[in-house]
Short mmCIF file of all heavy atoms in Angstrom, two decimals:
data_model
loop_
_atom_site.label_atom_id
_atom_site.label_comp_id
_atom_site.label_asym_id
_atom_site.label_seq_id
_atom_site.Cartn_x
_atom_site.Cartn_y
_atom_site.Cartn_z
N ARG A 576 32.88 163.90 178.81
CA ARG A 576 32.76 164.19 180.23
C ARG A 576 33.23 163.03 181.12
O ARG A 576 34.02 163.23 182.04
CB ARG A 576 31.30 164.54 180.59
CG ARG A 576 30.94 165.96 180.27
CD ARG A 576 29.48 166.09 179.92
NE ARG A 576 29.24 165.55 178.61
CZ ARG A 576 29.35 166.25 177.47
NH1 ARG A 576 29.63 167.51 177.53
NH2 ARG A 576 29.19 165.68 176.29
N THR A 577 32.77 161.82 180.83
CA THR A 577 33.05 160.70 181.72
C THR A 577 34.54 160.37 181.73
O THR A 577 35.15 160.17 182.78
CB THR A 577 32.22 159.48 181.29
OG1 THR A 577 30.85 159.89 181.19
CG2 THR A 577 32.33 158.35 182.29
N ARG A 635 34.04 151.73 179.42
CA ARG A 635 32.84 152.15 178.65
C ARG A 635 32.80 151.27 177.41
O ARG A 635 33.78 151.19 176.65
CB ARG A 635 32.94 153.61 178.26
CG ARG A 635 31.96 153.94 177.16
CD ARG A 635 31.73 155.40 176.98
NE ARG A 635 31.02 155.97 178.10
CZ ARG A 635 30.43 157.16 178.08
NH1 ARG A 635 30.50 157.91 177.00
NH2 ARG A 635 29.80 157.61 179.13
N HIS A 668 24.66 153.25 183.49
CA HIS A 668 25.75 154.23 183.63
C HIS A 668 25.70 154.71 185.09
O HIS A 668 25.31 155.84 185.38
CB HIS A 668 25.51 155.38 182.65
CG HIS A 668 26.68 156.27 182.44
ND1 HIS A 668 27.81 156.24 183.23
CD2 HIS A 668 26.91 157.26 181.52
CE1 HIS A 668 28.67 157.15 182.79
NE2 HIS A 668 28.14 157.78 181.76
N GLN A 671 27.21 158.08 186.51
CA GLN A 671 26.49 159.28 186.07
C GLN A 671 25.26 159.50 186.96
O GLN A 671 24.96 160.62 187.37
CB GLN A 671 26.08 159.15 184.60
CG GLN A 671 25.29 160.33 184.07
CD GLN A 671 26.09 161.63 184.00
OE1 GLN A 671 27.23 161.64 183.54
NE2 GLN A 671 25.50 162.72 184.46
N ARG A 701 21.03 154.62 178.80
CA ARG A 701 21.52 153.88 179.99
C ARG A 701 21.51 154.75 181.24
O ARG A 701 21.35 154.26 182.34
CB ARG A 701 22.92 153.35 179.70
CG ARG A 701 23.91 154.43 179.26
CD ARG A 701 25.13 153.81 178.65
NE ARG A 701 26.05 154.79 178.08
CZ ARG A 701 26.97 154.47 177.19
NH1 ARG A 701 27.09 153.24 176.75
NH2 ARG A 701 27.80 155.38 176.73
N VAL A 702 21.70 156.07 181.05
CA VAL A 702 21.66 156.96 182.21
C VAL A 702 20.29 156.90 182.87
O VAL A 702 20.16 156.86 184.09
CB VAL A 702 21.95 158.42 181.76
CG1 VAL A 702 21.74 159.38 182.90
CG2 VAL A 702 23.34 158.55 181.19
N ARG A 764 18.97 162.80 175.12
CA ARG A 764 18.86 162.76 173.66
C ARG A 764 18.40 161.37 173.23
O ARG A 764 18.48 160.40 174.01
CB ARG A 764 20.20 163.10 173.00
CG ARG A 764 21.22 162.02 173.19
CD ARG A 764 22.60 162.34 172.64
NE ARG A 764 23.46 161.21 172.99
CZ ARG A 764 23.70 160.18 172.19
NH1 ARG A 764 23.20 160.15 170.98
NH2 ARG A 764 24.45 159.19 172.60
N GLN A 766 19.12 158.03 171.56
CA GLN A 766 20.38 157.29 171.38
C GLN A 766 20.40 156.63 170.00
O GLN A 766 20.33 155.40 169.89
CB GLN A 766 20.51 156.22 172.48
CG GLN A 766 20.25 156.71 173.89
CD GLN A 766 21.42 157.48 174.47
OE1 GLN A 766 22.54 156.98 174.44
NE2 GLN A 766 21.18 158.68 174.95
N GLU A 768 22.50 155.84 167.84
CA GLU A 768 23.48 154.79 167.55
C GLU A 768 23.02 153.40 168.00
O GLU A 768 23.55 152.38 167.57
CB GLU A 768 24.85 155.14 168.14
CG GLU A 768 24.95 155.12 169.68
CD GLU A 768 24.54 156.44 170.34
OE1 GLU A 768 23.69 157.17 169.79
OE2 GLU A 768 25.05 156.71 171.45
N PRO A 806 22.31 164.59 180.80
CA PRO A 806 23.65 164.01 180.98
C PRO A 806 24.64 164.51 179.93
O PRO A 806 25.84 164.33 180.10
CB PRO A 806 23.41 162.51 180.83
CG PRO A 806 22.20 162.40 179.96
CD PRO A 806 21.34 163.60 180.28
N PHE A 807 24.15 165.10 178.86
CA PHE A 807 24.95 165.56 177.74
C PHE A 807 25.65 164.38 177.07
O PHE A 807 25.92 163.39 177.73
CB PHE A 807 25.97 166.62 178.21
CG PHE A 807 25.40 168.02 178.16
CD1 PHE A 807 24.12 168.29 178.57
CD2 PHE A 807 26.18 169.07 177.68
CE1 PHE A 807 23.59 169.58 178.50
CE2 PHE A 807 25.68 170.36 177.62
CZ PHE A 807 24.38 170.61 178.04
N PRO A 808 25.99 164.43 175.81
CA PRO A 808 25.81 165.57 174.92
C PRO A 808 24.33 165.80 174.63
O PRO A 808 23.54 164.87 174.62
CB PRO A 808 26.55 165.14 173.66
CG PRO A 808 26.50 163.64 173.68
CD PRO A 808 26.53 163.25 175.11
C1 NCD B 2104 25.72 159.72 178.31
C2 NCD B 2104 26.21 158.34 177.91
O1 NCD B 2104 27.27 158.19 177.32
O2 NCD B 2104 25.52 157.43 178.29
N1 NCD B 2104 26.67 160.69 178.48
C3 NCD B 2104 27.44 160.75 179.62
O3 NCD B 2104 28.17 159.85 179.92
N2 NCD B 2104 27.35 161.83 180.39
C4 NCD B 2104 24.51 160.15 177.60
C5 NCD B 2104 24.41 160.08 176.11
O4 NCD B 2104 25.31 159.69 175.40
O5 NCD B 2104 23.34 160.48 175.64
#
Side-chain angles (χ1 to χ4, degrees):
R576 280 149 286 272
T577 308
R635 163 164 291 195
H668 194 349
Q671 178 66 46
R701 55 195 174 199
V702 173
R764 71 184 177 94
Q766 311 282 309
E768 69 274 29
F807 271 42

